[in-house]
Amino acid sequence: MYRLPDHEPPLWWQGNLIYQVYPRSFMDGNQDGVGDLIGLNQRLDYLEALGIRCVWLSPVYPSPLYDFGYDVADYTSIDPVFGSLAEWERLLGRMHAKGMKLIMDWVPNHTSHQHPWFIESRASRTSPKRDWYIWRDPGEAGGPPNNWISFFGGSAWELDAATGQYYLHQFVREQPELNYRNPAVLEAMLEAMRFWLDRGVDGFRVDVLWLLIKDAAFRDEPLNRDWNGENPHARLHHIHTANQPEVHPIVRAFRALLDQYPQRVMMGEIDLPFAELMTYYGIQRDECHLPTNFSLIHTRWTVAAVRRVIDDYLASLPVGAWPNWVLGNHDQRRLASRLGQPQARVATLLLLTLPGTPVWYYGDEIGLENGIIPPEQIRDPQAVNQPDRAGQLGRDPQRTPMQWDASAHAGFTQAGVMPWLPVSVDYLQRNVAVQDSDEASFLGFFRQLIRLRTQIPALTRGDYSPLLVTGDAVLAYRRTWNGKTWLILLNFSAERQRLDGRQYLAGGRKILSTLTRTGSEVANIAADITLEPDEGCIVELTGPA
Ligand code: NOJ
């Protein structure tokens, strides 16, 4: 049995799902083919009606867009492509009036090469800001200082011909990395965060938090002998560019700043095995509120594998740490493309009934699938820079425009305007308008599930107990709160499963199924429970558990 840390009532980021908006793709309010803040503001009612209470917004800061906003040229302003500071304040004001929270993406590891700090840093070896970035002389044989590589292909070092030194970038070369061994950098970053906190932002999702500081001796990284030949970045073991012990004081400094304001949250993007991931809660629980848990994305979709991931994760959590679960984001293939539509619903039911805060990617609630991007329309640098592997590595397919209705460009932008990425071809059938009035649609199911989470405290705060069910097709667990129990049964297979209900319950009724047709109660359960192919359900126990 696993019991959540006690917060009565739960804090806002503990009880609510975090919905990620990728702003370029959500809604184009000014008809230039790129989504923006006006567009998001226009669609706020959609999110509100869906029961969303918390939005994480990917970067909207001024940026030359070499990595679509993850290359920030000014931390305290809004890019005109997305709107203005006034527009942002209007959005936040409306959100707060509706009882919604806004988490901004924060990208402290690197800036854009056009950020004034970098322009000054690169100007000369004696520039006062030279040491704000990571500069090194060429290696002994000439060439890069060491063997470190970029996530987006090739060396992580770029030569600056004018000054004869290399600077570090683990993403595109237009994303030089800041030097957190220089205290002035941390000070400047905290100052910029304060800008948004003073204006009322509710928290930050911190980009690549586990990469913030690198080996002081710049040692080569060893080869990964288990590399499967796929992602070139996995060719090395990243023991000197990631997860360095010196990162923790920096995380604590970010958190200490947030703690000066009431009820702010820090979600840290961290992609590490559980033992290391847990250290980012901080020994005194004084680091991230939510270090991101990507294990449900990384795991194979079998009952045994998923059960192991859940058990291991919950068992690894330190005392007082609030769990977190992620099924998709702008870097991962779409949920419905990874698992197929029926299992995507099963996974959704899992995500929203596990103990902890779920993170949701825009469009997954209508079952958006990976788009097909013609070669001439590929935009993502990860694909552009590695054309031989573009098919596997590009992230454009999961960033296609939201599909609102069956009008031109799915209602994302107006007719005659070219969306920045092509709208998926299935938008005539798969869109919000079509699914909105159909309780049996993915959207209808998702909305009911969110509603249940607000009505049944067990689903957000209850104790979690795994159940062993015969066979390898069904994942089962209980959530219990105040003496009442709900059973969650997830059929991972495409075959009908019959369970001997007497093992689990003396009486109960399904209150939600991934296959619900009407949205109302599905069936009373007496002795046996039948799960249809790919069915997941929540059963309210009416007899003793
Ligand atoms: C992680 C972000 O999620 C990804 O989209 C981005 O390319 C890198 N960090 C670099 O900022």
Side-chain angles (χ1 to χ4, degrees), residues 188-210:
M189 202 45 75
L190 292 171
E191 194 56 41
M193 291 167 91
R194 208 171 279 131
F195 177 89
W196 298 101
L197 290 164
D198 286 343
R199 281 164 181 73
V201 78
D202 297 292
F204 296 107
R205 171 269 188 191
V206 186
D207 193 68
V208 297
L209 190 58
W210 84 112

Side-chain angles (χ1 to χ4, degrees), residues 18-19 43 50 53 116 123 158 200 246 279 287 343 358 367 467 519 523:
I18 298 175
Y19 183 102
R43 296 294 186 181
L50 201 50
R53 295 287 168 266
E158 181 72 12
E246 301 96 310
T279 64
E287 296 189 23
Q343 283 298 313
L467 283 173

Side-chain angles (χ1 to χ4, degrees), residues 67 70-71 107 110 152 171 175 205 207-208 269 329-331 395 399:
D67 190 15
Y70 286 92
D71 48 328
V107 194
H110 41 268
F152 293 163
F171 296 92
Q175 288 168 302
R205 171 269 188 191
D207 193 68
V208 297
E269 187 202 15
N329 63 37
H330 61 294
D331 296 328
R395 298 168 298 175
R399 299 174 178 179

Side-chain angles (χ1 to χ4, degrees), residues 13 72 86 143 192 202 214 259 264 291 300 324 338 354 513 518:
W13 52 266
V72 176
D202 297 292
K214 295 58 157 159
D259 283 350
R264 303 302 208 264
R300 280 194 315 131
N324 164 262
R338 297 199 314 265
L354 283 173
S513 159
T518 61

Side-chain angles (χ1 to χ4, degrees), residues 214-493:
K214 295 58 157 159
D215 179 39
F218 295 93
R219 284 168 286 182
D220 274 354
E221 293 192 317
L223 284 179
N224 173 9
R225 306 239 166 258
D226 300 327
W227 183 46
N228 62 8
E230 285 174 13
N231 189 345
H233 187 256
R235 193 162 55 74
L236 301 181
H237 265 309
H238 300 292
I239 56 171
H240 297 313
T241 49
N243 195 34
Q244 303 299 295
E246 301 96 310
V247 73
H248 293 286
I250 300 168
V251 186
R252 284 198 289 276
F254 289 166
R255 170 65 180 268
L257 173 67
L258 263 74
D259 283 350
Q260 291 171 18
Y261 298 78
Q263 295 243 348
R264 303 302 208 264
V265 71
M266 174 156 66
M267 175 163 77
E269 187 202 15
I270 298 152
D271 197 356
L272 285 173
F274 293 148
E276 286 105 318
L277 179 68
M278 297 307 161
T279 64
Y280 287 78
Y281 282 104
I283 293 169
Q284 312 279 339
R285 299 302 90 79
D286 53 358
E287 296 189 23
C288 292
H289 298 95
L290 297 172
T292 47
N293 166 15
F294 294 127
S295 60
L296 290 178
I297 294 178
H298 297 326
T299 189
R300 280 194 315 131
W301 197 249
T302 65
V303 168
V306 171
R307 182 184 293 140
R308 190 166 330 110
V309 154
I310 297 170
D311 288 352
D312 289 354
Y313 176 72
L314 294 177
S316 313
L317 282 164
V319 175
W322 190 265
N324 164 262
W325 305 94
V326 185
L327 269 186
N329 63 37
H330 61 294
D331 296 328
Q332 305 293 335
R333 293 183 65 222
R334 281 278 176 188
L335 174 65
S337 297
R338 297 199 314 265
L339 301 184
Q341 293 289 345
Q343 283 298 313
R345 288 194 192 202
V346 171
T348 302
L349 186 49
L350 173 76
L351 184 84
L352 272 71
T353 57
L354 283 173
T357 301
V359 181
W360 190 257
Y361 187 45
Y362 86 94
D364 280 348
E365 70 275 19
I366 55 170
L368 270 195
E369 296 182 358
N370 270 16
I372 296 164
I373 313 292
E376 66 282 5
Q377 290 192 53
I378 293 178
R379 310 289 298 271
D380 179 25
Q382 195 176 22
V384 173
N385 294 355
Q386 303 178 88
D388 49 325
R389 295 170 195 265
Q392 304 140 37
L393 296 177
R395 298 168 298 175
D396 296 322
Q398 54 264 33
R399 299 174 178 179
T400 59
M402 181 64 169
Q403 295 170 196
W404 296 103
D405 55 41
S407 69
H409 305 313
F412 165 74
T413 189
Q414 76 187 18
V417 175
M418 265 296 266
W420 80 285
L421 283 176
V423 174
S424 276
V425 286
D426 64 359
Y427 79 95
L428 289 175
Q429 301 82 38
R430 190 183 310 288
N431 62 58
V432 169
V434 163
Q435 296 194 14
D436 199 34
S437 51
D438 177 6
E439 288 288 270
S441 67
F442 205 135
L443 186 62
F445 161 70
F446 184 71
R447 190 168 42 216
Q448 292 171 69
L449 186 49
I450 293 205
R451 197 177 307 136
L452 284 183
R453 279 171 54 90
T454 62
Q455 292 165 351
I456 303 173
L459 297 182
T460 47
R461 318 182 212 174
D463 293 342
Y464 164 93
S465 333
L467 283 173
L468 277 185
V469 177
T470 329
D472 56 8
V474 178
L475 184 72
Y477 48 92
R478 291 195 182 104
R479 300 295 307 273
T480 305
W481 172 255
N482 262 350
K484 283 204 72 181
T485 297
W486 281 259
L487 190 62
I488 288 92
L489 301 170
L490 305 170
N491 183 358
F492 276 45
S493 79

